[in-house]
Amino acid sequence: MAPVTEFVQSTLKPGASIDAIHKAFEKVKAATGNQVVRASPLHDNPEQFRLFIDWDSIDSHLAFRASDAYQAFMAEIVPHAAAPAVVVHLELTPFPPTVLDKSPVTEIFQMYFEPTADEAKNLDAAKHVAAELTAAGFAGATGLSAVGWTVEKDIDYKGEPTRVLAALIGWESVEAHHAAIETDSFKKITSYFQTGTEGIKGFDMSYVSPKPI
């Protein structure tokens, strides 16, 4: 089985802090097959937080979810969460996704596709754009990236089942990315998402600064 990055999208209750639940993640870190647990609030909404948890395989994560340790973990987490989390598994290249560890800011660009969309064609397009962006020499770009599909093909997007193709791009700051977006070079490179993909339903973007727990 291929290694995966568990990607958790969750919302904290008002006044709650992810720091308060760090200790609970010791149970995840102790699980067989776990490699690292990273956490970050969103830059533009601290009540939204993201987890990036590397596993040696999806089977290891599923085994943990079937364990008593997982039930104890959830018992500590749920009181701080405003709603059930969205959990998916990303098959990222490269793995591990060092962009999350070595970039001050990582742009998380999620593209939502029809579940039957051409997997290889769309993945190649995303890899092409990520490679072009990291090689273009934009001021404030770290030159690091990772790209991959979710294992899941039933992710809700505006009431429809989709599969997510994620591109993680490293930046020195959010402002550096904003400045790059305004350049003709950036617009030319990212226009390939329109011409090189098919079956896309929509996309969203966020910024994180993950730290290992």
Side-chain angles (χ1 to χ4, degrees):
M1 296 289 291
V4 296
T5 298
E6 176 191 356
F7 178 37
V8 181
Q9 303 173 78
S10 188
T11 305
L12 294 171
K13 290 180 178 178
S17 168
I18 194 171
D19 293 337
I21 56 177
H22 273 194
K23 188 176 180 180
F25 288 98
E26 293 299 324
K27 297 178 178 63
V28 182
K29 292 164 63 177
T32 300
N34 179 260
Q35 298 181 354
V36 66
V37 178
R38 312 175 189 84
S40 174
L42 293 189
H43 275 253
D44 59 352
N45 186 352
E47 290 183 354
Q48 292 278 332
F49 78 93
R50 302 293 181 258
L51 297 169
F52 303 87
I53 306 174
D54 290 351
W55 297 90
D56 64 1
S57 71
I58 192 171
D59 285 348
S60 290
H61 180 218
L62 296 179
F64 171 64
R65 291 183 68 168
S67 69
D68 291 340
Y70 177 75
Q71 298 303 319
F73 164 71
M74 290 301 296
E76 294 184 51
I77 296 296
V78 168
H80 300 272
V86 176
V87 181
V88 300
H89 299 88
L90 293 168
E91 296 182 323
L92 294 170
T93 301
F95 184 92
T98 54
V99 59
L100 293 168
D101 304 312
K102 297 184 177 181
S103 299
V105 172
T106 300
E107 167 199 354
I108 310 297
F109 189 67
Q110 297 186 83
M111 295 159 280
Y112 298 85
F113 285 86
E114 297 172 356
T116 57
D118 191 317
E119 177 178 333
K121 177 179 179 179
N122 291 324
L123 179 60
D124 285 346
K127 286 182 176 179
H128 172 81
V129 171
E132 290 288 309
L133 288 175
T134 55
F138 293 111
T142 65
L144 298 170
S145 65
V147 176
W149 284 107
T150 55
V151 174
E152 296 80 6
K153 299 182 180 181
D154 59 352
I155 300 162
D156 181 74
Y157 180 73
K158 296 183 178 180
E160 296 185 58
T162 65
R163 190 179 187 189
V164 171
L165 179 55
L168 285 56
I169 310 294
W171 300 92
E172 295 295 339
S173 66
V174 173
E175 292 74 20
H177 181 224
H178 287 171
I181 288 173
E182 298 302 318
T183 66
D184 290 339
S185 295
F186 188 95
K187 294 174 183 177
K188 180 179 179 181
I189 292 169
T190 55
S191 68
Y192 192 70
F193 277 132
Q194 297 177 325
T195 60
T197 63
E198 60 180 35
I200 192 167
K201 293 286 189 178
F203 61 88
D204 61 44
M205 182 181 66
S206 57
Y207 300 101
V208 295
S209 296
K211 303 296 181 186
I213 294 178

